[in-house]
Amino acid sequence: MTQTTHYVFLLIENFSHLAFSCALEPLRIANLVSGKPLYRWSLASEDGQTATCSNRSVTLVDRGLEPMERGDRLFLISGLHVQNHTTPALLNYLRRERSRGTPIGAICSGAYVLAMAGFLDDVETAIHWEFHDLFAEKFPAVRLVRNVFVANQKFVTASGGTAAADLMLHLIARDHGHDLATAVADQMVYNAVREGTAAQRVSLQSRLGARNEHLVRAIAIMEENIETPLAPCEIARELGISTRQLERLFGKYLNTSPKRYVVEMRLHRARNLIVQTEQSIAQIAMACGFNSTSHFSKVFRSHFGISPLSHRTTLA
């Protein structure tokens, strides 16, 4: 008789409903397709009563932060503003479960909670790309990757959204074979199942609608040097083309200049850090390649129509 595996999904306030559904539904469908109770699941929250997701739907849960049974698998699912919901009680619970040997994973921004608990130092970790700036600043010891999920580490992580389905299909295949996982994907009408090593975001070519190799490489160089921005002439030199050629490429494909594009890139990273971290405006300015706080504030206000400090206060 096949043993039933029990998952406990710990829903953190403001969790992603999409990630939650993509994690749970493959288990239900695996039972349906196989005709066997291969999986069962329980929902948990810190108060043991309800959890509210980011679309404001309220979910009834089965349990609070009670000890797990031996052999159960624990998955955290969270969403935006996870740092506001990472409580001492939650961290203490996770540390107790880790010491008891409970397998623990995280989906979407749940990896932030695991990192706060001290679990992810030197561990390859996937988290939604929108949290990468926050993670890189706050947890430099974590081996952050842009994969859709990481399943070959002690702590399994998935980047969120449909990546949760990719991860669960991977785990179903590991538990019960590739044929069952394929049948589950077919029932989901999910014909683009990804391996964990797939990149989260579409390629630069697809994102920008541009196929020019020099342009794509130029933008990659800009992203790699965001803290110490390179001048257009330095980028052009690395590509082996003239500065004028580089400017023409940005004008033709993106209707902007290399200088303006990299400034906007740095500003968007700064906005992420303002929203997601408690770093000072001066620290954020430095992390995004601005030499002074006053210059950063002036450029930020000009671009977004609000000062960095006001932007943070508005979102508080």
Side-chain angles (χ1 to χ4, degrees), residues 11-28:
L11 306 178
I12 298 171
E13 283 298 294
N14 209 40
F15 69 94
S16 163
H17 200 277
L18 175 59
F20 169 53
S21 298
C22 287
L24 179 57
E25 283 299 290
L27 303 181
R28 181 188 67 80

Side-chain angles (χ1 to χ4, degrees), residues 127-148:
I127 193 170
H128 192 284
W129 60 264
E130 196 168 36
F131 295 91
H132 275 218
D133 291 334
L134 163 64
F135 231 72
E137 293 293 324
K138 193 170 184 68
F139 307 113
V142 178
R143 292 160 56 197
L144 193 63
V145 296
R146 293 191 177 272
N147 299 11
V148 291

Side-chain angles (χ1 to χ4, degrees), residues 203-216 253:
S203 67
L204 282 169
Q205 289 97 324
S206 300
R207 195 184 337 155
L208 301 171
R211 298 289 176 181
N212 186 279
E213 261 184 49
H214 286 143
L215 177 64
V216 171
Y253 290 102

Side-chain angles (χ1 to χ4, degrees), residues 25-50:
E25 283 299 290
L27 303 181
R28 181 188 67 80
I29 296 170
N31 290 348
L32 177 68
V33 170
S34 68
K36 300 174 184 177
L38 301 179
Y39 298 100
R40 63 186 182 92
W41 50 88
S42 301
L43 308 183
S45 70
E46 188 168 342
D47 69 10
Q49 298 179 35
T50 63

Side-chain angles (χ1 to χ4, degrees), residues 43-76:
L43 308 183
S45 70
E46 188 168 342
D47 69 10
Q49 298 179 35
T50 63
T52 304
C53 69
S54 54
N55 66 19
R56 307 313 301 160
S57 298
V58 177
T59 300
L60 298 176
V61 302
D62 307 296
R63 54 184 287 164
L65 302 182
E66 292 86 21
M68 302 273 288
E69 296 293 327
R70 186 174 182 83
D72 288 356
R73 301 176 183 178
L74 176 64
F75 263 103
L76 281 70

Side-chain angles (χ1 to χ4, degrees), residues 154-231:
K154 184 174 183 180
F155 297 95
V156 175
T157 51
S159 57
T162 56
D166 296 307
L167 171 62
M168 301 313 289
L169 289 167
H170 174 86
L171 296 178
I172 290 168
R174 192 168 70 183
D175 291 343
H176 300 289
H178 182 73
D179 288 347
L180 177 60
T182 300
V184 171
D186 286 343
Q187 284 290 320
M188 296 168 62
V189 197
Y190 192 40
N191 58 6
V193 181
R194 296 167 292 182
E195 294 297 322
T197 53
Q200 281 186 51
R201 300 182 72 177
V202 296
S203 67
L204 282 169
Q205 289 97 324
S206 300
R207 195 184 337 155
L208 301 171
R211 298 289 176 181
N212 186 279
E213 261 184 49
H214 286 143
L215 177 64
V216 171
R217 180 60 188 141
I219 293 171
I221 291 170
M222 290 174 177
E223 291 180 339
E224 291 163 5
N225 294 277
I226 202 163
E227 293 185 20
T228 53
L230 301 180

Side-chain angles (χ1 to χ4, degrees), residues 284-312:
I284 291 170
M286 185 173 296
C288 297
F290 292 92
N291 293 326
S292 72
T293 305
S294 59
H295 177 60
F296 165 62
S297 297
K298 180 180 178 181
V299 176
F300 190 96
R301 181 190 288 274
S302 175
H303 188 75
F304 293 115
I306 189 172
S307 72
L309 188 58
S310 297
H311 186 58
R312 171 171 282 170

